[in-house]
Amino acid sequence: NEAYYRAIDRVIAKMKKQGKEVHALDMGCGSGLFSMMAARCGADSVVAAEMHDGLCDTARHVIARNGLSENISVVNKDIGLLERGTHVRAYGANLVIADFFDSGLLRDNFMFLLEKVKTRVLQEEYSIVPAAATIYCMGIESFTKNVQGFDFSSFNKYRWDKQYETADLASLPHRKLTKPKKVFEYFFQGDRKGRSRENVLKLEVVNPGHMNAIVFWFDLHLDEHETITSAPPGVTSGGVVLKNYGDESLLKEADAPKFEDDDTFIPSESFEGERKGYAFKKGEQGLGYYVDFPGHYAAQQNYSSLVEADDDEEEQLQEHHWGQALQYLDRAVQVQPKKRITILAKREGNAIKFSLKEGIGSRVGKSPWKVEWGGGASVENPHYQRVHYCQLLVSDFLMRLRSKRFPPIEKDMKMMLANCGNLFLDPAVITEVYHEFVVLEMIHGQPEFCPGASLEALTKPPLQFS
């Protein structure tokens, strides 16, 4: 929030200096925080657009309590359906503020809705906070092996899914296998185009292991002065590694090998036992011990800068509420240091997917209800059919909404929630389903809504308390 505040202040000050009026649009205002930031920084008017009527009421109360109602208008409307002269001033807005990103950046349909806003309510010259974003990725090994001495490897088949999931890499047992690599660039402001649809990546392997997943995150460039990142611990913006990279535990200074300028190679005619930070092999200088750069230790010239990272770098290691996106691959492959592994990154709709080259690696196990046989409903996998049947029931419920002949779903869900004990149901799960059904009913019960309105974006908590 502080970074956004500084960026909004800089952008508005720059526009004012150019003699422009500032008319801002807060896309998906939630609690109204960014709208109030823009008003306090000097925006002449702010439209806070939000589709969720309950959040609109909350935003109005918060804005009124802070004495900013004269500058901010809260509009309960689908962002993709905003119109000039009705929801936004006739001359349009010239500043957009947005923060409805998921861990993979795009799944909440931000790009689609931004294009709608550009064509419907923005002036020709406009500014956007954030201005751009860059996605990075790396390969990891993530398996369940032993739990308190018991073999739980059979549970690994339940990891795979078509879609990526949000993960906190700091708390997920894993092993980093490759260096970070830039995947895509998205420029929200102006006509500049980056690589944003498909990319072939060659990941540099730094640790041996069985790569079965790709973790990816993004840098959000708020303006030309400031960037925030959802990078995992040990990595900062730009995919720069701050800590000893590739080992599960960060290297302690006491454990660091001490190298002199001429200690990168120690000649030896035979193996004389393990030397910390070295690998025994025959290399360019002959047989002996060489510094193991990509292994568990960094060379001194890199290590000295890592252990002396300043306080600002340490702060960047703190977790961000977006988390990281984790996608398990269809195939897992054995990788070795100093080699490169090729993967394909592809944007499909509003999601990014990664895959290995065809024929590389071995197929991973999948949970029964995620395996599709194909060939029509009559010969489909029965486990998959059961899950698909639940989806059909939801679709049927949404189709009947427009008839207005049935009572609100809230009535049935309240009854189910009140009898959780008798039905042996988990109240937390029922509460979450209850909320999602009510939001679906709200979206599909409206006379019109654009395809950008997604359940995932509308059901996320607007605030995170700490």
Side-chain angles (χ1 to χ4, degrees), residues 286-342:
L287 192 63
Y289 290 88
Y290 290 80
V291 171
D292 190 14
F293 286 96
H296 295 294
Y297 297 98
Q300 187 178 15
Q301 60 262 36
N302 294 328
Y303 181 77
S304 59
S305 63
L306 302 183
V307 298
E308 295 172 2
D310 57 28
D311 294 339
D312 292 338
E313 290 176 330
E314 291 294 337
E315 288 178 4
Q316 293 185 57
L317 290 176
Q318 295 180 3
E319 302 168 15
H320 195 282
H321 73 88
W322 289 312
Q324 294 83 43
L326 177 66
Q327 185 197 327
Y328 289 100
L329 300 171
D330 283 322
R331 294 173 174 270
V333 62
Q334 191 75 31
V335 295
Q336 295 295 332
K338 299 184 180 179
K339 301 290 185 180
R340 293 180 184 272
I341 182 71
T342 302

CSV table of all heavy atoms in Angstrom, one decimal, residues 286-342:
chain,number,residue,atom,x,y,z
A,286,GLY,N,43.4,-29.8,-15.1
A,286,GLY,CA,43.9,-31.1,-14.7
A,286,GLY,C,43.0,-31.7,-13.6
A,286,GLY,O,41.9,-31.2,-13.3
A,287,LEU,N,43.6,-32.8,-13.0
A,287,LEU,CA,42.8,-33.5,-12.0
A,287,LEU,C,43.0,-32.8,-10.6
A,287,LEU,O,44.1,-32.4,-10.3
A,287,LEU,CB,43.4,-34.9,-11.9
A,287,LEU,CG,42.6,-35.9,-11.0
A,287,LEU,CD1,41.2,-36.1,-11.6
A,287,LEU,CD2,43.3,-37.2,-10.9
A,288,GLY,N,41.9,-32.6,-9.9
A,288,GLY,CA,42.0,-31.9,-8.6
A,288,GLY,C,40.6,-31.5,-8.1
A,288,GLY,O,39.6,-31.9,-8.6
A,289,TYR,N,40.7,-30.6,-7.1
A,289,TYR,CA,39.4,-30.0,-6.5
A,289,TYR,C,39.1,-28.6,-7.1
A,289,TYR,O,40.0,-27.7,-7.1
A,289,TYR,CB,39.6,-29.9,-5.0
A,289,TYR,CG,39.7,-31.2,-4.3
A,289,TYR,CD1,40.9,-31.9,-4.1
A,289,TYR,CD2,38.5,-31.8,-3.7
A,289,TYR,CE1,41.0,-33.1,-3.4
A,289,TYR,CE2,38.6,-33.0,-3.1
A,289,TYR,CZ,39.8,-33.6,-2.9
A,289,TYR,OH,39.8,-34.8,-2.2
A,290,TYR,N,37.9,-28.5,-7.7
A,290,TYR,CA,37.5,-27.2,-8.3
A,290,TYR,C,36.4,-26.7,-7.4
A,290,TYR,O,35.6,-27.4,-6.8
A,290,TYR,CB,36.9,-27.5,-9.7
A,290,TYR,CG,38.0,-27.8,-10.7
A,290,TYR,CD1,38.5,-29.1,-10.8
A,290,TYR,CD2,38.5,-26.8,-11.6
A,290,TYR,CE1,39.5,-29.4,-11.8
A,290,TYR,CE2,39.5,-27.2,-12.5
A,290,TYR,CZ,39.9,-28.5,-12.6
A,290,TYR,OH,40.9,-28.8,-13.5
A,291,VAL,N,36.3,-25.3,-7.4
A,291,VAL,CA,35.2,-24.7,-6.6
A,291,VAL,C,33.9,-25.1,-7.3
A,291,VAL,O,33.7,-25.0,-8.5
A,291,VAL,CB,35.4,-23.1,-6.7
A,291,VAL,CG1,34.1,-22.5,-6.1
A,291,VAL,CG2,36.6,-22.7,-5.9
A,292,ASP,N,32.9,-25.5,-6.4
A,292,ASP,CA,31.7,-26.0,-6.9
A,292,ASP,C,30.7,-24.8,-7.0
A,292,ASP,O,29.8,-24.6,-6.1
A,292,ASP,CB,31.1,-27.1,-6.0
A,292,ASP,CG,29.9,-27.8,-6.5
A,292,ASP,OD1,29.7,-27.6,-7.7
A,292,ASP,OD2,29.2,-28.5,-5.8
A,293,PHE,N,30.8,-24.0,-8.0
A,293,PHE,CA,30.0,-22.8,-8.1
A,293,PHE,C,28.5,-23.0,-8.1
A,293,PHE,O,27.7,-22.4,-7.3
A,293,PHE,CB,30.3,-22.0,-9.4
A,293,PHE,CG,31.6,-21.3,-9.3
A,293,PHE,CD1,32.8,-21.9,-9.8
A,293,PHE,CD2,31.7,-20.1,-8.7
A,293,PHE,CE1,34.0,-21.2,-9.8
A,293,PHE,CE2,32.9,-19.4,-8.6
A,293,PHE,CZ,34.1,-20.0,-9.2
A,294,PRO,N,27.9,-23.9,-8.9
A,294,PRO,CA,26.5,-24.1,-8.9
A,294,PRO,C,25.9,-25.0,-7.8
A,294,PRO,O,24.8,-25.3,-7.8
A,294,PRO,CB,26.2,-24.7,-10.3
A,294,PRO,CG,27.4,-25.5,-10.5
A,294,PRO,CD,28.6,-24.8,-9.9
A,295,GLY,N,26.8,-25.5,-6.9
A,295,GLY,CA,26.3,-26.5,-5.9
A,295,GLY,C,25.8,-25.8,-4.7
A,295,GLY,O,25.1,-24.8,-4.8
A,296,HIS,N,26.1,-26.4,-3.5
A,296,HIS,CA,25.5,-25.9,-2.3
A,296,HIS,C,26.2,-24.6,-1.7
A,296,HIS,O,25.7,-24.1,-0.8
A,296,HIS,CB,25.6,-27.0,-1.2
A,296,HIS,CG,24.7,-28.2,-1.6
A,296,HIS,ND1,23.4,-28.1,-1.7
A,296,HIS,CD2,25.1,-29.4,-1.9
A,296,HIS,CE1,22.9,-29.3,-2.0
A,296,HIS,NE2,23.9,-30.1,-2.2
A,297,TYR,N,27.3,-24.2,-2.3
A,297,TYR,CA,28.0,-23.0,-1.8
A,297,TYR,C,28.3,-22.0,-2.9
A,297,TYR,O,28.5,-22.4,-4.1
A,297,TYR,CB,29.3,-23.4,-1.1
A,297,TYR,CG,29.1,-24.3,0.1
A,297,TYR,CD1,29.2,-25.7,-0.1
A,297,TYR,CD2,28.7,-23.8,1.3
A,297,TYR,CE1,29.0,-26.5,1.0
A,297,TYR,CE2,28.5,-24.6,2.3
A,297,TYR,CZ,28.6,-26.0,2.2
A,297,TYR,OH,28.4,-26.8,3.3
A,298,ALA,N,28.4,-20.8,-2.6
A,298,ALA,CA,28.7,-19.7,-3.6
A,298,ALA,C,30.2,-19.4,-3.5
A,298,ALA,O,30.8,-19.6,-2.4
A,298,ALA,CB,27.9,-18.5,-3.3
A,299,ALA,N,30.7,-19.0,-4.6
A,299,ALA,CA,32.1,-18.6,-4.6
A,299,ALA,C,32.2,-17.3,-3.7
A,299,ALA,O,31.3,-16.6,-3.5
A,299,ALA,CB,32.6,-18.3,-6.0
A,300,GLN,N,33.4,-17.0,-3.3
A,300,GLN,CA,33.6,-15.9,-2.3
A,300,GLN,C,33.2,-14.6,-2.9
A,300,GLN,O,32.5,-13.7,-2.3
A,300,GLN,CB,35.0,-15.8,-1.9
A,300,GLN,CG,35.2,-14.8,-0.7
A,300,GLN,CD,36.6,-14.7,-0.3
A,300,GLN,OE1,37.5,-15.2,-0.9
A,300,GLN,NE2,36.8,-14.1,0.9
A,301,GLN,N,33.5,-14.3,-4.2
A,301,GLN,CA,33.1,-13.1,-4.8
A,301,GLN,C,31.6,-12.8,-4.9
A,301,GLN,O,31.2,-11.7,-4.8
A,301,GLN,CB,33.7,-12.9,-6.2
A,301,GLN,CG,33.2,-13.9,-7.2
A,301,GLN,CD,34.2,-15.1,-7.4
A,301,GLN,OE1,34.8,-15.5,-6.4
A,301,GLN,NE2,34.3,-15.6,-8.6
A,302,ASN,N,30.8,-13.9,-4.9
A,302,ASN,CA,29.4,-13.8,-4.9
A,302,ASN,C,28.9,-13.8,-3.4
A,302,ASN,O,28.0,-13.0,-3.1
A,302,ASN,CB,28.7,-14.9,-5.6
A,302,ASN,CG,29.0,-14.8,-7.1
A,302,ASN,OD1,29.1,-13.8,-7.7
A,302,ASN,ND2,29.1,-16.0,-7.8
A,303,TYR,N,29.5,-14.6,-2.6
A,303,TYR,CA,29.0,-14.8,-1.3
A,303,TYR,C,29.2,-13.6,-0.4
A,303,TYR,O,28.3,-13.2,0.4
A,303,TYR,CB,29.8,-16.0,-0.6
A,303,TYR,CG,29.3,-16.2,0.8
A,303,TYR,CD1,28.1,-16.9,1.0
A,303,TYR,CD2,30.0,-15.7,1.9
A,303,TYR,CE1,27.6,-17.1,2.3
A,303,TYR,CE2,29.5,-16.0,3.2
A,303,TYR,CZ,28.4,-16.6,3.4
A,303,TYR,OH,27.9,-16.8,4.6
A,304,SER,N,30.3,-12.8,-0.6
A,304,SER,CA,30.5,-11.6,0.2
A,304,SER,C,29.4,-10.6,0.1
A,304,SER,O,29.0,-10.0,1.0
A,304,SER,CB,31.8,-11.0,-0.2
A,304,SER,OG,31.8,-10.6,-1.5
A,305,SER,N,28.8,-10.5,-1.2
A,305,SER,CA,27.7,-9.6,-1.4
A,305,SER,C,26.4,-10.1,-0.8
A,305,SER,O,25.5,-9.4,-0.5
A,305,SER,CB,27.6,-9.3,-2.8
A,305,SER,OG,27.2,-10.4,-3.6
A,306,LEU,N,26.3,-11.5,-0.8
A,306,LEU,CA,25.1,-12.1,-0.3
A,306,LEU,C,24.9,-11.9,1.2
A,306,LEU,O,23.8,-11.6,1.7
A,306,LEU,CB,25.0,-13.6,-0.7
A,306,LEU,CG,25.1,-13.9,-2.2
A,306,LEU,CD1,25.0,-15.4,-2.4
A,306,LEU,CD2,24.1,-13.1,-3.0
A,307,VAL,N,25.9,-12.2,2.0
A,307,VAL,CA,25.8,-12.2,3.4
A,307,VAL,C,25.8,-10.7,4.0
A,307,VAL,O,25.4,-10.5,5.1
A,307,VAL,CB,27.0,-12.9,4.1
A,307,VAL,CG1,27.0,-14.4,3.7
A,307,VAL,CG2,28.3,-12.3,3.7
A,308,GLU,N,26.1,-9.7,3.1
A,308,GLU,CA,26.1,-8.4,3.5
A,308,GLU,C,25.0,-7.6,2.9
A,308,GLU,O,25.0,-6.4,2.7
A,308,GLU,CB,27.5,-7.7,3.2
A,308,GLU,CG,28.7,-8.3,3.9
A,308,GLU,CD,30.0,-7.7,3.4
A,308,GLU,OE1,29.9,-6.9,2.5
A,308,GLU,OE2,31.0,-8.2,3.9
A,309,ALA,N,23.9,-8.3,2.5
A,309,ALA,CA,22.7,-7.7,2.0
A,309,ALA,C,22.2,-6.6,3.0
A,309,ALA,O,22.1,-6.9,4.1
A,309,ALA,CB,21.6,-8.7,1.7
A,310,ASP,N,21.9,-5.4,2.5
A,310,ASP,CA,21.5,-4.4,3.4
A,310,ASP,C,20.1,-4.6,3.8
A,310,ASP,O,19.3,-5.4,3.4
A,310,ASP,CB,21.7,-3.0,2.8
A,310,ASP,CG,20.9,-2.8,1.4
A,310,ASP,OD1,19.9,-3.5,1.3
A,310,ASP,OD2,21.4,-2.1,0.6
A,311,ASP,N,19.6,-3.7,4.7
A,311,ASP,CA,18.3,-3.8,5.3
A,311,ASP,C,17.2,-3.7,4.2
A,311,ASP,O,16.1,-4.3,4.3
A,311,ASP,CB,18.1,-2.7,6.4
A,311,ASP,CG,19.0,-2.9,7.6
A,311,ASP,OD1,19.4,-4.1,7.7
A,311,ASP,OD2,19.2,-2.0,8.3
A,312,ASP,N,17.4,-2.8,3.2
A,312,ASP,CA,16.4,-2.7,2.2
A,312,ASP,C,16.2,-4.0,1.4
A,312,ASP,O,15.1,-4.4,1.1
A,312,ASP,CB,16.8,-1.6,1.2
A,312,ASP,CG,16.8,-0.2,1.8
A,312,ASP,OD1,16.1,-0.1,2.8
A,312,ASP,OD2,17.5,0.7,1.3
A,313,GLU,N,17.3,-4.7,1.1
A,313,GLU,CA,17.1,-6.0,0.4
A,313,GLU,C,16.4,-7.0,1.3
A,313,GLU,O,15.6,-7.8,0.9
A,313,GLU,CB,18.5,-6.5,0.0
A,313,GLU,CG,19.1,-5.7,-1.1
A,313,GLU,CD,20.5,-6.1,-1.4
A,313,GLU,OE1,21.2,-6.6,-0.5
A,313,GLU,OE2,21.0,-6.0,-2.6
A,314,GLU,N,16.7,-7.0,2.6
A,314,GLU,CA,16.1,-7.9,3.6
A,314,GLU,C,14.6,-7.7,3.6
A,314,GLU,O,13.8,-8.6,3.7
A,314,GLU,CB,16.7,-7.8,5.0
A,314,GLU,CG,18.1,-8.2,5.1
A,314,GLU,CD,18.3,-9.7,4.8
A,314,GLU,OE1,17.3,-10.5,5.0
A,314,GLU,OE2,19.4,-10.2,4.5
A,315,GLU,N,14.2,-6.4,3.5
A,315,GLU,CA,12.8,-6.1,3.6
A,315,GLU,C,12.1,-6.7,2.4
A,315,GLU,O,10.9,-7.1,2.4
A,315,GLU,CB,12.6,-4.6,3.7
A,315,GLU,CG,12.9,-4.0,5.0
A,315,GLU,CD,12.8,-2.5,5.1
A,315,GLU,OE1,12.3,-1.9,4.0
A,315,GLU,OE2,13.1,-1.9,6.1
A,316,GLN,N,12.8,-6.7,1.2
A,316,GLN,CA,12.1,-7.2,0.0
A,316,GLN,C,11.9,-8.7,0.0
A,316,GLN,O,11.2,-9.2,-0.7
A,316,GLN,CB,13.0,-6.8,-1.2
A,316,GLN,CG,13.1,-5.3,-1.5
A,316,GLN,CD,13.9,-5.0,-2.7
A,316,GLN,OE1,13.5,-5.5,-3.8
A,316,GLN,NE2,14.9,-4.2,-2.6
A,317,LEU,N,12.6,-9.4,1.0
A,317,LEU,CA,12.4,-10.8,1.1
A,317,LEU,C,11.1,-11.2,1.8
A,317,LEU,O,10.7,-12.3,1.8
A,317,LEU,CB,13.6,-11.4,1.9
A,317,LEU,CG,14.9,-11.4,1.2
A,317,LEU,CD1,16.0,-11.9,2.1
A,317,LEU,CD2,14.9,-12.2,-0.1
A,318,GLN,N,10.4,-10.2,2.4
A,318,GLN,CA,9.2,-10.5,3.1
A,318,GLN,C,8.1,-10.9,2.2
A,318,GLN,O,8.1,-10.5,1.0
A,318,GLN,CB,8.7,-9.2,3.9
A,318,GLN,CG,9.7,-8.9,5.0
A,318,GLN,CD,9.3,-7.6,5.8
A,318,GLN,OE1,8.2,-7.1,5.5
A,318,GLN,NE2,10.1,-7.2,6.7
A,319,GLU,N,7.2,-11.7,2.6
A,319,GLU,CA,6.2,-12.3,1.8
A,319,GLU,C,5.2,-11.2,1.3
A,319,GLU,O,4.9,-10.3,2.1
A,319,GLU,CB,5.4,-13.4,2.6
A,319,GLU,CG,6.3,-14.5,3.1
A,319,GLU,CD,5.5,-15.4,4.1
A,319,GLU,OE1,4.3,-15.3,4.1
A,319,GLU,OE2,6.2,-16.2,4.7
A,320,HIS,N,4.6,-11.4,0.2
A,320,HIS,CA,3.6,-10.5,-0.4
A,320,HIS,C,2.3,-11.3,-0.4
A,320,HIS,O,2.3,-12.5,-0.5
A,320,HIS,CB,4.0,-10.0,-1.8
A,320,HIS,CG,3.1,-8.9,-2.2
A,320,HIS,ND1,1.8,-9.0,-2.6
A,320,HIS,CD2,3.4,-7.5,-2.2
A,320,HIS,CE1,1.3,-7.8,-3.0
A,320,HIS,NE2,2.2,-6.9,-2.7
A,321,HIS,N,1.2,-10.6,-0.2
A,321,HIS,CA,-0.1,-11.2,-0.1
A,321,HIS,C,-0.5,-12.0,-1.4
A,321,HIS,O,-1.3,-12.9,-1.4
A,321,HIS,CB,-1.2,-10.3,0.3
A,321,HIS,CG,-1.6,-9.3,-0.8
A,321,HIS,ND1,-2.6,-9.6,-1.8
A,321,HIS,CD2,-1.2,-8.1,-1.2
A,321,HIS,CE1,-2.8,-8.7,-2.6
A,321,HIS,NE2,-1.9,-7.7,-2.3
A,322,TRP,N,0.1,-11.6,-2.5
A,322,TRP,CA,-0.2,-12.4,-3.8
A,322,TRP,C,0.3,-13.8,-3.7
A,322,TRP,O,-0.3,-14.7,-4.2
A,322,TRP,CB,0.4,-11.7,-5.0
A,322,TRP,CG,-0.2,-10.5,-5.4
A,322,TRP,CD1,-1.5,-10.2,-5.6
A,322,TRP,CD2,0.5,-9.2,-5.7
A,322,TRP,NE1,-1.7,-8.9,-6.0
A,322,TRP,CE2,-0.5,-8.3,-6.0
A,322,TRP,CE3,1.8,-8.9,-5.7
A,322,TRP,CZ2,-0.2,-7.0,-6.4
A,322,TRP,CZ3,2.1,-7.6,-6.1
A,322,TRP,CH2,1.2,-6.6,-6.4
A,323,GLY,N,1.5,-14.0,-3.0
A,323,GLY,CA,2.1,-15.3,-3.0
A,323,GLY,C,2.7,-15.6,-4.3
A,323,GLY,O,2.9,-14.7,-5.2
A,324,GLN,N,3.1,-16.9,-4.6
A,324,GLN,CA,3.6,-17.3,-5.9
A,324,GLN,C,2.7,-18.3,-6.5
A,324,GLN,O,1.9,-18.9,-5.9
A,324,GLN,CB,5.0,-17.9,-5.7
A,324,GLN,CG,6.1,-17.0,-5.2
A,324,GLN,CD,6.1,-16.8,-3.7
A,324,GLN,OE1,5.9,-17.8,-2.9
A,324,GLN,NE2,6.2,-15.6,-3.2
A,325,ALA,N,2.8,-18.4,-7.9
A,325,ALA,CA,2.0,-19.3,-8.6
A,325,ALA,C,2.8,-20.6,-8.8
A,325,ALA,O,4.0,-20.5,-9.2
A,325,ALA,CB,1.5,-18.7,-10.0
A,326,LEU,N,2.2,-21.7,-8.6
A,326,LEU,CA,2.8,-23.0,-8.7
A,326,LEU,C,2.1,-23.9,-9.7
A,326,LEU,O,0.9,-24.2,-9.5
A,326,LEU,CB,2.9,-23.7,-7.3
A,326,LEU,CG,3.5,-25.1,-7.2
A,326,LEU,CD1,5.0,-25.0,-7.6
A,326,LEU,CD2,3.3,-25.7,-5.9
A,327,GLN,N,2.8,-24.4,-10.7
A,327,GLN,CA,2.1,-25.3,-11.6
A,327,GLN,C,2.9,-26.6,-11.7
A,327,GLN,O,4.1,-26.6,-12.0
A,327,GLN,CB,2.1,-24.7,-13.1
A,327,GLN,CG,1.3,-25.6,-14.0
A,327,GLN,CD,1.5,-25.3,-15.5
A,327,GLN,OE1,1.8,-24.2,-15.8
A,327,GLN,NE2,1.5,-26.3,-16.3
A,328,TYR,N,2.2,-27.7,-11.4
A,328,TYR,CA,2.9,-29.0,-11.6
A,328,TYR,C,2.8,-29.4,-13.0
A,328,TYR,O,1.8,-29.3,-13.7
A,328,TYR,CB,2.1,-30.0,-10.7
A,328,TYR,CG,2.4,-29.8,-9.2
A,328,TYR,CD1,1.5,-29.1,-8.4
A,328,TYR,CD2,3.6,-30.2,-8.6
A,328,TYR,CE1,1.7,-28.9,-7.1
A,328,TYR,CE2,3.9,-29.9,-7.3
A,328,TYR,CZ,2.9,-29.3,-6.5
A,328,TYR,OH,3.2,-29.0,-5.2
A,329,LEU,N,3.9,-30.0,-13.5
A,329,LEU,CA,4.0,-30.4,-14.9
A,329,LEU,C,3.4,-31.7,-15.2
A,329,LEU,O,3.3,-32.6,-14.3
A,329,LEU,CB,5.5,-30.4,-15.3
A,329,LEU,CG,6.2,-29.1,-15.1
A,329,LEU,CD1,7.7,-29.3,-15.4
A,329,LEU,CD2,5.7,-28.0,-16.1
A,330,ASP,N,2.9,-31.9,-16.4
A,330,ASP,CA,2.4,-33.2,-16.9
A,330,ASP,C,3.5,-34.3,-16.8
A,330,ASP,O,3.2,-35.5,-16.6
A,330,ASP,CB,1.9,-33.2,-18.3
A,330,ASP,CG,0.5,-32.5,-18.4
A,330,ASP,OD1,-0.3,-32.7,-17.5
A,330,ASP,OD2,0.3,-31.7,-19.4
A,331,ARG,N,4.7,-33.9,-17.0
A,331,ARG,CA,5.9,-34.8,-17.0
A,331,ARG,C,6.9,-34.3,-16.1
A,331,ARG,O,7.1,-33.1,-16.0
A,331,ARG,CB,6.4,-35.0,-18.4
A,331,ARG,CG,5.5,-35.7,-19.4
A,331,ARG,CD,6.1,-35.7,-20.8
A,331,ARG,NE,5.2,-36.5,-21.7
A,331,ARG,CZ,5.4,-37.8,-22.0
A,331,ARG,NH1,6.4,-38.4,-21.4
A,331,ARG,NH2,4.6,-38.4,-22.8
A,332,ALA,N,7.6,-35.2,-15.4
A,332,ALA,CA,8.8,-34.8,-14.6
A,332,ALA,C,10.1,-35.3,-15.3
A,332,ALA,O,10.1,-36.3,-16.0
A,332,ALA,CB,8.6,-35.4,-13.2
A,333,VAL,N,11.1,-34.5,-15.1
A,333,VAL,CA,12.4,-34.8,-15.8
A,333,VAL,C,13.6,-34.7,-14.8
A,333,VAL,O,13.6,-33.8,-14.0
A,333,VAL,CB,12.6,-33.9,-17.0
A,333,VAL,CG1,12.7,-32.4,-16.6
A,333,VAL,CG2,13.8,-34.3,-17.8
A,334,GLN,N,14.5,-35.6,-15.0
A,334,GLN,CA,15.8,-35.5,-14.2
A,334,GLN,C,16.7,-34.5,-14.8
A,334,GLN,O,16.9,-34.4,-16.0
A,334,GLN,CB,16.4,-36.9,-14.2
A,334,GLN,CG,17.6,-37.0,-13.2
A,334,GLN,CD,17.1,-37.2,-11.8
A,334,GLN,OE1,16.0,-37.8,-11.6
A,334,GLN,NE2,17.8,-36.7,-10.8
A,335,VAL,N,17.2,-33.6,-13.9
A,335,VAL,CA,18.1,-32.5,-14.4
A,335,VAL,C,19.4,-32.5,-13.6
A,335,VAL,O,19.5,-33.0,-12.5
A,335,VAL,CB,17.4,-31.1,-14.2
A,335,VAL,CG1,16.2,-31.0,-15.1
A,335,VAL,CG2,17.1,-30.8,-12.7
A,336,GLN,N,20.4,-32.0,-14.3
A,336,GLN,CA,21.8,-32.0,-13.7
A,336,GLN,C,22.4,-30.6,-13.8
A,336,GLN,O,22.1,-29.9,-14.8
A,336,GLN,CB,22.7,-33.0,-14.4
A,336,GLN,CG,22.3,-34.5,-14.3
A,336,GLN,CD,22.5,-34.9,-12.8
A,336,GLN,OE1,23.3,-34.4,-12.1
A,336,GLN,NE2,21.6,-35.9,-12.4
A,337,PRO,N,23.2,-30.2,-12.9
A,337,PRO,CA,23.8,-28.9,-12.9
A,337,PRO,C,24.6,-28.7,-14.2
A,337,PRO,O,25.1,-29.6,-14.8
A,337,PRO,CB,24.8,-28.9,-11.7
A,337,PRO,CG,24.2,-29.9,-10.8
A,337,PRO,CD,23.6,-31.0,-11.7
A,338,LYS,N,24.8,-27.4,-14.5
A,338,LYS,CA,25.5,-26.9,-15.7
A,338,LYS,C,24.9,-27.3,-17.0
A,338,LYS,O,25.5,-27.2,-18.1
A,338,LYS,CB,27.0,-27.4,-15.7
A,338,LYS,CG,27.8,-26.9,-14.5
A,338,LYS,CD,29.2,-27.4,-14.5
A,338,LYS,CE,30.0,-26.9,-13.3
A,338,LYS,NZ,31.4,-27.3,-13.3
A,339,LYS,N,23.7,-27.8,-16.9
A,339,LYS,CA,22.9,-28.2,-18.1
A,339,LYS,C,21.7,-27.2,-18.3
A,339,LYS,O,21.4,-26.4,-17.3
A,339,LYS,CB,22.3,-29.6,-18.1
A,339,LYS,CG,23.4,-30.7,-17.9
A,339,LYS,CD,24.2,-30.8,-19.2
A,339,LYS,CE,25.2,-32.0,-19.1
A,339,LYS,NZ,26.0,-32.2,-20.3
A,340,ARG,N,21.0,-27.2,-19.4
A,340,ARG,CA,19.8,-26.4,-19.6
A,340,ARG,C,18.7,-27.3,-19.9
A,340,ARG,O,18.8,-28.2,-20.6
A,340,ARG,CB,20.1,-25.3,-20.7
A,340,ARG,CG,21.1,-24.3,-20.3
A,340,ARG,CD,21.3,-23.3,-21.4
A,340,ARG,NE,22.3,-22.3,-21.2
A,340,ARG,CZ,22.2,-21.2,-20.5
A,340,ARG,NH1,21.0,-20.9,-20.1
A,340,ARG,NH2,23.2,-20.4,-20.3
A,341,ILE,N,17.5,-26.9,-19.4
A,341,ILE,CA,16.3,-27.6,-19.6
A,341,ILE,C,15.3,-26.7,-20.4
A,341,ILE,O,15.1,-25.5,-19.9
A,341,ILE,CB,15.6,-28.2,-18.3
A,341,ILE,CG1,14.4,-29.0,-18.6
A,341,ILE,CG2,15.4,-27.1,-17.3
A,341,ILE,CD1,14.7,-30.3,-19.3
A,342,THR,N,14.7,-27.1,-21.5
A,342,THR,CA,13.9,-26.3,-22.3
A,342,THR,C,12.4,-26.5,-21.9
A,342,THR,O,11.9,-27.6,-21.8
A,342,THR,CB,14.0,-26.7,-23.8
A,342,THR,OG1,15.4,-26.5,-24.2
A,342,THR,CG2,13.1,-25.8,-24.6
